[in-house]
Amino acid sequence: MIWALRRCVIAPLVVALAVVAWFTLPLWLIGAAAISPIVRGRLRPLRFFWVVLVYLTCEALLLLVMLGLWFASGFGRRLRTAYFEGIHYDLVQGTMWVFFREARRVLRLRIESEGPGPLDHRGRPILVCCRHAGPGDSFVLIHTLMAWYGREPRVVLKDTLAWDPMISVILNRIPARFITPNPGPTENLEAQIADLASGLDENDAFVIFPEGGNFTPQRRQRAIDRLRRLGLERMAQRAERMIHVLAPRPGGFLAALDAAPDADVVLVAHTGLDHMVTVGEVWRELPMDKRIIMRWWQIPRAEIPAGREERIDWLFAWWERIDTWIDENRPAEISTGRS
């Protein structure tokens, strides 16, 4: 039922909305221009509207192209073959290139990468662990991995993102998983993640967000409380000292490590995409005239502990390091909350 709602109702509505938006474009532009002088930020409504329109247009066009590919693949029978998977990866990369090129131009953003570059990862599969501060970081990370690092990502995402029809369709045609951070008793998420991480080759990147959700102060506190309920007081105290990230949930990451024994680990932190979870937060915090910094760390497989408890402690230690890096590199206008 949910699948039918997403494919047969929401997806056509997105296409129709894009058509209506373009036909009524003059009205939107006039309205956005009229309120721009009274809204904080230089031409914020106009720039915000244009970025939304570009995204909506990309989504509508990609949905139509993927519908054509469904017919071309024999009504979906050959969609999961290597040939059609390659086409869909190319579509993702091309769509993101167009969207980010326009977003950087309109919002006047600079995306800078620090740490190991693409050549440092060549010839080996990688497991990419990224902090999660909102849906924007998922897009930026995937775009960076594909455009700069030449990787084909296999990504684990929260199931709520499946309500976006473009994301839902495309990720059901390439290796990916939608999961819920709080599964039922019959769901074995670690087995699903291990299956996705199996068989990585030298141009693959397995992507996971160990926090299990976007950072909010409420989720941070719930993560700390959860550790205490499990009797992990020492971990709870460590989580309390981390201000900008949630305590990582190690199960999925450990499952991926076991399933991909030849893969190095790459940890990613970023600043400039914080506090953008709800529509209101996107409106208030949409980065304009700013610099987004992505920091990469590569850990060779030989340096990763072998035991489960040692790996959990190792992951927590890295998350503490990421929290410190974020605190030192956050935009000046955003309060850190530290005393």
Side-chain angles (χ1 to χ4, degrees):
M1 180 63 182
I2 294 178
W3 181 91
L5 176 64
R6 291 169 177 166
R7 295 294 191 275
C8 302
V9 178
I10 298 178
L13 281 176
V14 167
V15 176
L17 184 60
V19 173
V20 170
W22 277 103
F23 271 105
T24 58
L25 181 61
L27 296 177
W28 288 102
L29 292 177
I30 292 171
I35 65 174
S36 287
I38 60 175
V39 174
R40 178 180 62 88
R42 189 173 69 88
L43 299 177
R44 174 175 286 269
L46 272 173
R47 297 160 82 182
F48 179 83
F49 166 73
W50 186 253
V51 170
V52 171
L53 180 62
V54 170
Y55 180 83
L56 184 63
T57 303
C58 288
E59 177 148 2
L61 291 175
L62 192 56
L63 285 170
L64 293 174
V65 171
M66 289 190 293
L67 177 61
L69 288 172
W70 182 78
F71 286 113
S73 66
F75 300 98
R77 287 195 299 271
R78 299 192 303 275
L79 275 177
R80 296 311 296 263
T81 62
Y83 175 76
F84 279 97
E85 279 189 6
I87 291 176
H88 283 81
Y89 272 121
D90 290 341
L91 284 173
V92 173
Q93 184 172 353
T95 302
M96 286 194 167
W97 182 87
V98 170
F99 176 73
F100 277 98
R101 181 178 182 274
E102 192 64 9
R104 285 198 301 266
R105 183 186 70 83
V106 173
L107 302 179
R108 295 182 62 193
L109 297 177
R110 285 190 300 157
I111 302 177
E112 299 181 1
S113 182
E114 299 179 354
L119 295 180
D120 296 294
H121 307 296
R122 179 170 293 179
R124 293 184 66 85
I126 54 176
L127 302 180
V128 181
C129 298
C130 184
R131 59 103 35 148
H132 210 0
D137 58 15
S138 306
F139 286 99
V140 173
L141 177 63
I142 298 303
H143 169 66
T144 304
L145 284 171
M146 299 187 78
W148 296 358
Y149 289 80
R151 295 283 175 160
E152 293 183 348
R154 302 185 185 186
V155 61
V156 178
L157 289 175
K158 196 174 179 181
D159 55 0
T160 51
L161 286 173
W163 286 101
D164 183 310
M166 176 183 67
I167 295 174
S168 176
V169 174
I170 199 78
L171 292 189
N172 275 288
R173 297 185 182 184
I174 60 177
R177 286 289 188 282
F178 291 107
I179 64 170
T180 173
N182 300 297
T186 61
E187 294 184 83
N188 190 340
L189 294 188
E190 293 185 15
Q192 295 179 43
I193 291 172
D195 180 64
L196 183 62
S198 300
L200 298 177
D201 60 32
E202 63 182 17
N203 72 331
D204 285 330
F206 177 87
V207 180
I208 191 168
F209 299 88
E211 293 159 295
N214 303 322
F215 176 89
T216 67
Q218 295 78 17
R219 284 178 177 160
R220 173 180 173 271
Q221 187 57 52
R222 286 199 297 269
I224 294 169
D225 295 341
R226 177 175 175 271
L227 290 171
R228 287 208 162 95
R229 287 197 304 271
L230 295 173
L232 303 173
E233 179 61 29
R234 187 174 70 89
M235 290 298 186
Q237 292 176 2
R238 294 174 71 176
E240 284 181 324
R241 291 193 290 270
M242 295 188 289
I243 303 299
H244 308 295
V245 296
L246 305 179
R249 296 186 174 193
F253 171 70
L254 298 183
L257 271 181
D258 291 335
D262 298 325
D264 289 343
V265 172
V266 174
L267 294 117
V268 185
H270 58 79
T271 60
L273 293 169
D274 309 77
H275 309 296
M276 292 199 302
V277 179
T278 67
V279 174
E281 289 170 342
V282 171
W283 168 258
R284 291 192 304 271
E285 304 293 343
L286 187 70
M288 295 183 179
D289 309 299
K290 289 183 180 179
R291 181 178 61 154
I292 296 172
I293 305 174
M294 301 186 71
R295 178 65 166 95
W296 305 70
W297 293 271
Q298 181 180 10
I299 298 90
R301 186 62 181 227
E303 297 181 11
I304 299 172
R308 179 179 177 86
E309 295 303 319
E310 290 78 8
R311 285 179 172 179
I312 293 174
D313 186 71
W314 175 87
L315 181 62
F316 259 80
W318 266 105
W319 237 244
E320 290 166 336
R321 181 172 176 178
I322 287 172
D323 183 70
T324 300
W325 181 88
I326 294 169
D327 192 60
E328 294 171 350
N329 291 273
R330 285 168 68 84
E333 66 270 28
I334 298 178
S335 173
T336 66
R338 290 193 192 271
S339 58

